Amino acid sequence: MPYLIYVVDDDKNISELISMYIKKEGYSVRTFDNGEDVLDYFNREKPDMLIIDIMLPGIDGYELCKKVRTISDVPIIIISVRDEDLDKILGLELGSDDYIAKPFSPRELIARMKSVFRRVYDLHYGFYFLYVAFNYTIE
């Protein structure tokens, strides 16, 4: 089953462009234009990654990231026109795994997604394999 990616951006054009590239890579995509809908839907169908814009109506991307972190360790990539160091640092400190400033290349986003997936999911599989195959205790 392909990874499910939530794309959260209130700009429909950007959301559609990102979705097109993600689907082309074989991932499933669900798009949202606000943070409230993401939180409502999160427990119905857990995503494997979130791509979140910061400037959203209602709950902004920072608050969404913070709320998701209280219930899940799902990987989060923030995308935003806010490209100051302070914005990036805040996003990373609130729990995002990466931060990309707009405008960006969709291919760069895909490469960063794959990098996060390798780091997060392959790492967990590797520890599981070590434990099962060799009965090591990982502390």
Side-chain angles (χ1 to χ4, degrees):
M1 187 153 144
Y3 288 133
L4 172 61
I5 316 299
Y6 282 6
V7 175
V8 191
D9 198 313
D10 62 332
D11 184 326
K12 191 162 182 69
N13 292 329
I14 291 175
S15 201
E16 287 176 359
L17 178 67
I18 292 171
S19 294
M20 182 182 73
Y21 273 85
I22 290 173
K23 287 177 184 175
K24 187 177 176 184
E25 291 295 317
Y27 302 120
S28 296
V29 180
R30 183 166 306 282
T31 60
F32 300 88
D33 61 5
N34 66 76
E36 290 88 354
D37 289 347
V38 172
L39 294 174
D40 289 342
Y41 206 84
F42 196 88
N43 288 325
R44 284 186 249 162
E45 187 175 25
K46 295 233 186 305
D48 297 293
M49 178 179 284
L50 281 92
I51 298 172
I52 303 173
D53 183 23
I54 290 176
M55 299 170 71
L56 298 169
I59 296 174
D60 71 13
Y62 289 136
E63 187 65 22
L64 178 58
C65 183
K66 192 163 68 171
K67 287 182 183 236
V68 167
R69 276 294 164 255
T70 66
I71 58 173
S72 175
D73 63 351
V74 63
I76 298 172
I77 296 177
I78 291 179
I79 56 172
S80 180
V81 296
R82 299 175 74 172
D83 63 352
E84 298 293 320
D85 286 346
L86 186 58
D87 297 312
K88 295 174 186 177
I89 292 167
L90 180 58
L92 294 167
E93 287 181 348
L94 288 174
S96 73
D97 297 278
D98 204 347
Y99 190 112
I100 305 173
K102 293 178 184 177
F104 58 86
S105 160
R107 289 173 42 195
E108 177 187 2
L109 174 60
I110 297 298
R112 288 175 181 258
M113 287 172 54
K114 288 178 179 180
S115 175
V116 170
F117 279 143
R118 274 193 311 274
R119 190 172 64 248
V120 172
Y121 293 116
D122 289 353
L123 183 62
H124 288 298
Y125 175 75
F127 282 135
Y128 177 75
F129 174 77
L130 280 174
Y131 178 74
V132 171
F134 302 104
N135 200 20
Y136 283 127
T137 303
I138 300 170
E139 298 178 31

